[in-house]
Amino acid sequence: MTRRVKFQSRWARAGVAVAAAGLVLGLGGCLGTTAEADPASGASSSAQPGSAATSGTSGTSESSASGATTGDLFIPASVAEAMAANLAPAEAQSITQKTVTVELKGADTEKQAGVDVADGVVTLTQATDYELTGTLDGQVVIDVSDGDVHVTLAGVTINSSSPGALVIENADQVVLTLADGTTNKLSDAGVTAESDDSDVPAGALFSRSDLIIEGSGTLVIDAGAGDGLVSKDGLVIDSGTFDVTAADDAIRGKDYLVINGGTFKLDAAGDALKSTNDTDATAGYVWIAGGTIDATAADDCVDALTDALVSGGTLKFSCDDDGIHGDASAVIDGGTVTITQSYEGIEGQVIVIAGGDINVTSSDDGLNASDGSGAGGGDFTMPGTGSGTGTGMGGGTMPGWDSTAAPDMGDGTLPGGGTMPGWDSSTAPDAGDGTMPWAGATAGTDGYGSRGGKTGGRGQMPGTGTGTDTGTGTSAGTGTTSDWQSRGGGAMGGGMEGSGNAILVITGGTLVVNAEGDGLDSNGTASMSGGNVTVFGPTRTGNGALDCGNGITMTGGTLLAVDSGGMSQGIGSGSAVPSFDTRATLTAGELQIVGADGAAVATYTLPKGATTIVFAGEALASGATYSIVNGGTTVATATT
């Protein structure tokens, strides 16, 4: 039985009027409204399903969210606040009926009250407690018109030549228990259907009802037809050991997927963990509150149509697309998250890092706050060309670019006319993919041309003058504390960075990012009031360790950001913590920030070289000079 609440915008339901305190949020620039949960509300970042923060029957959200709002965006201070605005997950209902024991043995499976057997299909038809053992080449189907069902798997092997080995067609709720000390195996084959209304099961373990899984046994799923474990309603996993190999998604719940515990090894040709409800703003979320998860995915490791939430657990993700993706938000306030491979590590329109130990490796952006509208790219003008339009999540396209007829560009000629400034045809890269080549040595007076500095963000593409901005900004930056911050236009410099409706907020936790795209990227605003953040930015010049509108606004915490200097950005002008940024030739190895007294303020291990460094934190003193020591040698000094 499907349980849903009437659709209502999460932002309207959360309430626009909220208490102003706590989080520093971007509004306009990187300054703005503030809010946090009322301490008396009982909301806790470690709340579990059924606690005060999420109590209520499935389909009813009894708590109101108290997170901040900026415009039409709801910014939860914690996972508990995000869940207070969501559909509460189902809780197991007790069943006191007599247990029906079923030994699966093909056509010889015994028919009895509540158990039908026909054509290789064993159908369970009573709202009662079942215990299954044995082996079956066929299907086990649960079809109960009214009531809850409890099924214990006590050592079963079910192999189906068609989609779905264990299929829950109808029941109010099903609780599946993995018996202690048993291994249970499900496999299927054939072709599944994507439609929710299809009669064809979409997974080897497939449910059209709320499904709760518990117990200390093992479940092995080999899904040859499509998904591994699927609920077309809500899915809660409390415990157990899971080994899932899937031709598409490994584990999927439509209304929600909640993982409170268990041990998981997931190998998915699609997404590893997924929720897909796109019609109810309170549903479509993935919440990981505990467990140990090792997931490999050809797409995302976590993909939520609304919120991707992590409040606990030990997670190790390797994927070809996003490590953690939530269309509305990605919120982490606990647990250990290690993303060893990704295209973009963590992505959502709102990203909140409030706790946890997080390590992200990405081939593109480490954290990307974006509304997906392409506003982050904006319109920009390259010297000698017409205008282009930003596309995708913060990117920009080459003016006049046609990837099907990519020009050679060996002479520096740009599609649509004009010539790349500082072009050296002897070292021209292959531009067949639309990448904008960068010469740099003759762009401007120092190789930076008019790229944005600390006070101006990125600027546009490198200029051909002597530090004059080629965008809409007017003059070189006015910074005095570093070598590079004064090289960019005082204003935004044109719009390769935009002001999209997206927000990045960091209030706590430890975050390490190793990115070959932008390290921290917000196509709207960004703020940091606590936590410890380290960003090892790109070695290529088209991206930067920080890419946050007019800079990330800091009122607390510690931040180190290093990159190749191609698109470097400093701390936002409204920040309240001391900082410095400077150029220095850095190599992989130990990096220390050393005060005048010879004591190290901070020590890091660089995994790769860099040429610019940004450091900010409450450990620094205003107006003090610090040495940057790399591999035991002082390579630069900087003054806050």
Side-chain angles (χ1 to χ4, degrees), residues 175-601:
V175 176
L176 188 67
T177 298
L178 306 176
D180 183 28
T182 68
T183 296
N184 305 277
K185 300 180 180 180
L186 305 176
S187 68
D188 70 350
V191 179
T192 61
E194 292 296 326
S195 172
D196 286 348
D197 299 325
S198 172
D199 292 333
V200 179
L205 197 171
F206 174 77
S207 177
R208 299 189 191 278
S209 306
D210 284 336
L211 175 62
I212 299 172
I213 303 178
E214 61 181 18
S216 56
T218 297
L219 179 61
V220 178
I221 296 178
D222 185 358
D227 297 344
L229 198 170
V230 179
S231 172
K232 291 294 187 181
D233 223 330
L235 175 58
V236 176
I237 300 177
D238 287 328
S239 57
T241 298
F242 301 83
D243 187 341
V244 181
T245 302
D248 195 3
D249 305 326
I251 302 178
R252 176 162 61 92
K254 181 179 180 181
D255 285 353
Y256 48 79
L257 168 59
V258 176
I259 297 177
N260 292 315
T263 301
F264 301 79
K265 182 174 177 55
L266 310 177
D267 188 350
D271 299 312
L273 303 168
K274 188 171 187 175
S275 186
T276 58
N277 191 319
D278 60 358
T279 62
D280 184 344
T282 70
Y285 63 86
V286 175
W287 178 12
I288 302 172
T292 299
I293 304 174
D294 186 344
T296 300
D299 205 341
D300 299 341
C301 279
V302 175
D303 183 14
L305 258 292
T306 56
D307 304 319
L309 310 172
V310 178
S311 59
T314 300
L315 318 180
K316 182 181 178 182
F317 293 157
S318 176
C319 57
D320 292 341
D321 202 356
D322 298 343
I324 298 175
H325 177 98
D327 278 9
S329 73
V331 182
I332 301 175
D333 66 8
T336 299
V337 180
T338 303
I339 300 174
T340 61
Q341 175 183 312
S342 65
Y343 178 68
E344 292 188 332
I346 301 172
E347 185 174 58
Q349 185 170 6
V350 173
I351 298 178
V352 176
I353 306 297
D357 187 353
I358 307 161
N359 194 305
V360 174
T361 300
S362 66
S363 59
D364 195 54
D365 299 342
L367 273 63
N368 182 28
S370 171
D371 62 5
S373 67
D379 294 332
F380 64 96
T381 301
M382 292 184 60
T385 73
S387 63
T389 301
T391 60
M393 285 197 161
T397 55
M398 185 76 79
W401 184 260
D402 181 358
S403 61
T404 63
D408 178 23
M409 290 181 64
D411 60 354
T413 302
L414 297 173
T419 302
M420 186 72 75
W423 184 263
D424 181 357
S425 61
S426 66
T427 59
D430 177 8
D433 61 353
T435 303
M436 298 182 184
W438 198 288
T442 58
T445 58
D446 53 15
Y448 279 74
S450 58
R451 292 173 229 179
K454 178 176 180 181
T455 58
R458 286 188 173 193
Q460 292 188 311
M461 293 297 290
T464 56
T466 57
T468 300
D469 196 326
T470 60
T472 57
T474 56
S475 62
T478 58
T480 59
T481 64
S482 71
D483 179 44
W484 61 267
Q485 72 177 35
S486 61
R487 295 176 182 165
M492 277 283 294
M496 288 193 70
E497 189 58 42
S499 55
N501 192 22
I503 294 176
L504 168 63
V505 176
I506 301 172
T507 64
T510 299
L511 171 65
V512 178
V513 175
N514 188 342
E516 277 305 312
D518 297 320
L520 305 183
D521 185 348
S522 175
N523 294 337
T525 61
S527 65
M528 180 174 175
S529 61
N532 195 323
V533 176
T534 305
V535 182
F536 303 119
T539 55
R540 58 181 185 238
T541 54
N543 293 285
L546 304 177
D547 180 11
C548 303
N550 291 327
I552 185 170
T553 299
M554 289 189 63
T555 58
T558 300
L559 170 68
L560 171 76
V562 297
D563 59 33
S564 62
M567 287 286 193
S568 299
Q569 183 184 64
I571 305 304
S573 59
S575 295
V577 299
S579 68
F580 66 75
D581 39 63
T582 189
R583 293 189 66 185
T585 300
L586 305 174
T587 59
E590 185 180 73
L591 172 69
Q592 289 187 312
I593 311 301
V594 179
D597 60 358
V601 174

Side-chain angles (χ1 to χ4, degrees), residues 62-132:
E62 296 187 347
S63 303
S64 62
S66 57
T69 57
T70 296
D72 62 348
L73 292 184
F74 169 53
I75 298 55
S78 66
V79 169
E81 285 193 2
M83 280 305 303
N86 280 337
L87 178 72
E91 299 178 41
Q93 305 299 312
S94 62
I95 296 176
T96 59
Q97 301 292 329
K98 177 181 177 181
T99 299
V100 177
T101 301
V102 180
E103 182 183 0
L104 301 176
K105 45 185 179 180
D108 294 329
T109 301
E110 181 183 357
K111 292 183 179 181
Q112 54 183 303
V115 180
D116 292 337
V117 181
D119 300 325
V121 178
V122 177
T123 305
L124 312 181
T125 60
Q126 289 185 354
T128 190
D129 191 332
Y130 291 90
E131 181 178 273
L132 304 185

